[in-house]
């Protein structure tokens, strides 16, 4: 499944399928990006990060892709599990500055 | 090593009262950030503090909001004369470094959910 959108889009996938969550960031000068997972009632949890000198980075079951030309990030989650159900946010940062600028988020729901 | 501790987890205040939100950073972390999250939205930066210093408060509303991070004790976000629009989740994060891109050890707390009635 794949989601795009600007207003907290919702993505529903079957357990075991791959998920792709997209994010359009705002500042072409941003050079560091983070994906966070936020479960209901909890704080954001770091998933994976990527610097602007890379276009792909892989973690455990997750891959982040960065396309600087169109200011686009994606998070791919392989073999989704029920525990992956959450809201996912991308965040951008410029030269380590104090502010992280968060996108609006995508709600991922895993169907059994 | 306990994570970032925020209390209370839930806070209900009547309009016009004061709200005090506390954030105890992780051990060894001297950099604290406060963010606000409205329902169905991302987090918005409010303020960045180091011990006894406010470094960047560009995201703080000009009135009624203040923050401190004393030499001893937790960081406090204070909201005076609360209004319904202040209802939100308030998160703090702490870090051992001033830069987000150096350390992946910056962690967020579980947040305080403020409801103004």
């Amino acid at each position: 499944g794949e989601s795009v959108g600007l207003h907290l889009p919702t993505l529903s996938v079957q357990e075991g399928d791959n998920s792709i969550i997209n994010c359009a960031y705002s500042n072409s000068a941003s050079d560091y990006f983070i994906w966070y997972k936020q479960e209901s009632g909890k704080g954001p949890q770091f998933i994976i990060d990527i610097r602007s000198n890379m276009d792909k980075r892989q973690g455990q079951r997750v891959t982040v892709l960065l396309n600087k030309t169109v200011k686009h990030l994606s998070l791919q989650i392989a073999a989704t599990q029920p525990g992956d159900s959450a809201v996912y946010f991308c965040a951008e940062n410029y030269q380590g500055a104090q502010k992280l600028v968060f996108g609006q988020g995508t709600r991922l729901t895993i169907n059994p | 090593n306990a994570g970032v501790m925020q209390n209370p987890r839930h806070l209900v205040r009547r309009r016009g009262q004061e709200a005090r939100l506390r954030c105890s950073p992780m051990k060894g972390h001297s950099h604290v950030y406060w963010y606000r999250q409205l329902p169905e939205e991302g987090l918005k930066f409010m303020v960045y503090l180091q011990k006894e210093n406010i470094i960047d408060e560009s995201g703080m509303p000009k009135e009624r909001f203040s923050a401190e991070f004393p030499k001893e004790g937790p960081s406090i976000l204070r909201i005076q004369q609360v209004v319904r629009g202040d209802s939100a989740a308030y998160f703090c994060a702490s870090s051992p470094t001033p830069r987000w891109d150096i350390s992946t050890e910056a962690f967020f707390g579980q947040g305080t959910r403020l409801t103004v009635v």
Side-chain angles (χ1 to χ4, degrees):
Chain A
E2 182 175 9
S3 80
V4 294
L6 300 175
H7 303 291
L8 196 58
T10 299
L11 174 63
S12 293
V13 300
Q14 291 297 122
E15 184 177 348
D17 286 354
N18 298 332
S19 304
I20 300 175
I21 300 170
N22 295 293
C23 173
Y25 63 91
S26 58
N27 185 356
S28 57
S30 291
D31 55 9
Y32 179 63
F33 305 89
I34 307 174
W35 277 101
Y36 284 97
K37 172 185 181 183
Q38 186 177 28
E39 296 174 279
S40 181
K42 296 186 177 180
Q45 177 187 353
F46 175 94
I47 300 174
I48 191 168
D49 60 352
I50 188 169
R51 299 179 190 278
S52 59
N53 61 353
M54 305 171 69
D55 52 21
K56 179 179 181 179
R57 188 157 189 238
Q58 289 185 290
Q60 188 176 17
R61 281 202 307 119
V62 294
T63 301
V64 55
L65 299 177
L66 173 63
N67 184 331
K68 295 181 289 293
T69 302
V70 294
K71 295 191 293 183
H72 184 268
L73 272 172
S74 68
L75 177 70
Q76 301 177 359
I77 305 174
T80 50
Q81 303 168 358
D84 294 330
S85 292
V87 178
Y88 290 81
F89 293 97
C90 67
E92 60 184 292
N93 182 254
Y94 172 64
Q95 292 190 351
Q98 289 81 26
K99 301 174 192 175
L100 278 183
V101 178
F102 282 77
Q104 197 165 9
T106 295
R107 186 181 308 280
L108 178 64
T109 302
I110 310 302
N111 301 317
Chain B
N1 189 5
V4 178
M5 303 301 291
Q6 290 189 248
N7 68 82
R9 292 293 309 277
H10 300 274
L11 182 61
V12 179
R13 283 287 177 266
R14 296 187 183 278
R15 282 178 293 171
Q17 291 184 320
E18 179 179 282
R20 289 168 64 94
L21 288 61
R22 296 175 190 79
C23 169
S24 296
M26 290 182 68
K27 186 177 181 180
H29 289 194
S30 58
H31 305 268
V32 166
Y33 310 80
W34 284 93
Y35 282 77
R36 176 164 62 176
Q37 184 178 34
L38 296 173
E40 301 291 288
E41 293 190 10
L43 282 71
K44 299 286 195 295
F45 170 81
M46 299 183 75
V47 61
Y48 162 53
L49 310 103
Q50 296 177 18
K51 284 283 187 181
E52 301 185 275
N53 287 301
I54 298 173
I55 306 301
D56 182 349
E57 56 182 348
S58 58
M60 290 276 272
K62 294 286 187 280
E63 297 177 346
R64 302 186 298 108
F65 285 71
S66 62
E68 63 179 12
F69 188 16
K71 186 176 180 181
E72 301 290 339
S75 176
I76 306 287
L77 179 67
R78 182 182 292 108
I79 312 172
Q80 297 177 304
Q81 299 176 326
V82 296
V83 301
R84 288 236 172 97
D86 297 332
S87 295
Y90 292 83
F91 292 94
C92 79
S94 75
S95 172
T97 73
R99 290 180 62 122
W100 286 94
D101 61 346
I102 290 177
S103 169
T104 55
E105 295 179 33
F107 293 101
F108 281 86
Q110 301 288 43
T112 293
R113 278 142 190 88
L114 172 66
T115 302
V116 179
V117 297

